[in-house]
Amino acid sequence: MMVILVVVVVVLVGLILYVIGVFNQLVRLRNQVDNAWSQIDVQLKRRHDLIPNLIETAKGYMKHERQTLEAITQARSQAMGARTVGEAAKAEGALGQALARFLMTVENYPDLKANQNFLALQEELASTENKISFARQNYNDQVLFYNNRIQMFPSNIVASMFGFAKREFFEVEAPAERQVPTVSF
Amino acid sequence: MWELIRVNKRNSIILFVVMAVVLVGLGMTIGAAIDPRAWLLGGLVAAGLWLFLAVLSLSSGDQILLAASRARPVTKEVHPQLFNVVEEMTIAAGLPKMPSVYIIEDLAPNAFATGRGPHTASIAVTAGLLAKLDRDELQGVIAHEISHILHRDILYVTLAGVMLGAVLIVSEVFLRGLIYGDRTGRSRRYSGPTRRAPAQAQMILLLIAVVVAVLAPILAQLLYFALSRQREYLADAGAARLTRYPEGLARALEKIASDTSGPLAVANKATAPMYIVNPFKKGLDAWTSTHPPISERIRILRSLGNTVSLVQYAKAYYKATSRPFPIKVQDESLPVRPGQPGGLQANPKDKDRQAADLIRKVHGFRFLSCPCGLTLKVPPNYTAGQISCPRCGRRLVVAQSAAGAD
């Protein structure tokens, strides 16, 4: 009788410890997913902050490209004013395309390309675009880890016990955005 | 990726323990060879040394290695592109903190990462590397270093480097002491009658000690090198995964391999395994080389095709070397992205000048561009507020340098 009781207690304690372990791991993975998501936001904000400077520097040189520049400013204000995630994704996509078009047209302005200030801004812009896509890439990697863990046996039992929900991948809508914008300098 | 980190941690502990056993065993044999009763003392001294080195390398190993490589910490203004690329790769790897960035004043292209873990990591690159690589290539190299940080290689390399150094020094001191001490030791041998009886046993012990002292560093080095080569491959695989562009690293390795700037002056036997490619470039045979052959690394990277993943890399590794990949890996296959043209690159003729300018910037030189087209490089100890252009005579305002403390 005593032996059975001890065995039952040991098994129960072991089970509880296992559940605690899996629970903590799931929380850690979920925090990593959230953290990766906020990193995307940080980089998008940085892109918004860069644009006024860029336009200011380019304006003097690109008299004939008023439309291209205006498209960027407009896309930026739309992206900043977006209320829902869907709206934001769409506006950011449009902004990314407008910036890619702008960097293409820069090719026709050798004076602008020789401007030190502009070169520095261009490096910042190219890097920010990279950071956005790398932040996205990392987010998707983290979601993959997290989703695998909550769908695989036996951790899926713990996940459903405490209501860990599957996360969505960050898929880019516009097919042009899906390929990293080929920014040519 | 997690299984990879786990294997790396396990390997680190194995190496750590083996190094301890080798060091203590060496101490015990040497102790016994000097006096049969001193084996315990010898072992204790060696264990103390091991403990001291472990604490030292854990607390400030990275700072010691950075100082030994004469790496200088730099701010973003010195090389914005380098900072951006490091930050990009930090984001891609999801590291909690961006590593500190250092520049080594050398024209030989090379790079390394050090530190205890992702929170305290540092990356050092040479000025030559920055001048010679384009953006994609630099990204490949930085991704390789970030992978070392991500895989927890850096702590292992720091610890192992210090431990290996200790084993080398102890056996060297003993062997030299033996050769040197033989001349003075003769008089002692006849000093006491009690010493005569165990003389034969003493000789055998001495012989064993010599054999151990010769073999220990070789064994330690072989183990260290084998694991360090494996880590280089894994970091290459990690770099391909992070950048989604293996061609960048492949091109960078190609450029570094064909570079003619000569060996890296600040590297030595203990720090060599840290670097992305062997800083000595000697034709060592495969067993004692700290790095896998570059041509093989390039071939594997180029044969990855259109997907990057550890699984794909393991397959390509098998195809290129017909050896199985040392670690069992599993992950999703990820598509390769198109490359991007290079940004702020000058023509090849200017590259050495660019590297030299970079070294000046690291030292706090201020760069003034005169409207006549001349660029003035003002040394940090120039304190006057103005300087006249030697070509056109214009007075130019010199901003006070913040980095010009030394």
Side-chain angles (χ1 to χ4, degrees), chain A residues 5 9 19 48-49 58 76 119 135-136 141 159 165-166 184:
Chain A
L5 202 70
V9 167
V19 168
H48 297 159
D49 294 344
R76 171 179 180 263
L119 275 179
R136 222 180 250 158
D141 287 357
K166 210 178 127 202
S184 57

Side-chain angles (χ1 to χ4, degrees), chain A residues 28 32 39 43 46 119 123-124 126-127 130-131 134-135 137-138 141 144-145 148 180 182-185, chain B residues 1-2 76 81 84 87-89 91-94 135 139 241-244 332 337 340-341 343-344:
Chain A
R28 203 191 65 226
Q32 274 172 0
Q39 192 54 243
Q43 299 310 327
R46 172 133 78 191
L119 275 179
E123 164 61 27
E124 284 309 305
S127 176
N130 280 346
K131 281 167 194 161
F134 283 125
Q137 176 185 307
N138 180 45
D141 287 357
L144 187 73
F145 289 140
N148 277 349
V180 171
T182 39
V183 178
S184 57
F185 300 100
Chain B
M1 237 255 319
W2 289 109
K76 185 166 179 176
Q81 193 180 64
N84 280 336
E87 206 179 340
E88 283 164 26
M89 288 302 105
I91 291 168
R135 201 176 203 287
Q139 202 172 54
R241 210 190 121 258
L242 288 182
T243 57
R244 306 281 203 266
E332 301 290 303
R337 69 176 171 84
Q340 358 177 349
L344 305 164

Side-chain angles (χ1 to χ4, degrees), chain A residues 6-69:
Chain A
V6 168
V7 166
V8 166
V9 167
V10 165
V11 166
L12 262 180
V13 168
L15 212 62
I16 289 169
L17 284 179
Y18 171 77
V19 168
I20 291 173
V22 172
F23 178 82
N24 285 344
Q25 192 192 25
L26 287 174
V27 170
R28 203 191 65 226
L29 287 175
R30 191 174 60 188
N31 286 344
Q32 274 172 0
V33 169
D34 289 340
N35 185 34
W37 178 257
S38 67
Q39 192 54 243
I40 299 178
D41 269 352
V42 170
Q43 299 310 327
L44 287 176
K45 193 159 280 150
R46 172 133 78 191
R47 171 150 86 174
H48 297 159
D49 294 344
L50 264 176
I51 287 170
N53 249 331
L54 186 78
I55 303 280
E56 202 51 49
T57 313
K59 217 158 58 182
Y61 295 89
M62 301 173 85
K63 297 236 163 53
H64 309 293
E65 307 285 347
R66 190 175 293 271
Q67 267 187 328
T68 318
L69 296 181

Side-chain angles (χ1 to χ4, degrees), chain A residues 49-120:
Chain A
D49 294 344
L50 264 176
I51 287 170
N53 249 331
L54 186 78
I55 303 280
E56 202 51 49
T57 313
K59 217 158 58 182
Y61 295 89
M62 301 173 85
K63 297 236 163 53
H64 309 293
E65 307 285 347
R66 190 175 293 271
Q67 267 187 328
T68 318
L69 296 181
E70 265 170 16
I72 296 174
T73 318
Q74 210 177 350
R76 171 179 180 263
S77 50
Q78 250 168 28
M80 288 179 78
R83 291 271 171 273
T84 66
V85 177
E87 252 176 60
K90 209 174 142 197
E92 290 296 345
L95 181 56
Q97 278 168 22
L99 284 171
R101 258 202 311 281
F102 164 76
L103 287 169
M104 297 262 248
T105 29
V106 167
E107 281 301 296
N108 305 327
Y109 295 85
D111 288 352
L112 181 58
K113 276 173 69 186
N115 181 327
Q116 284 295 323
N117 193 12
F118 181 75
L119 275 179

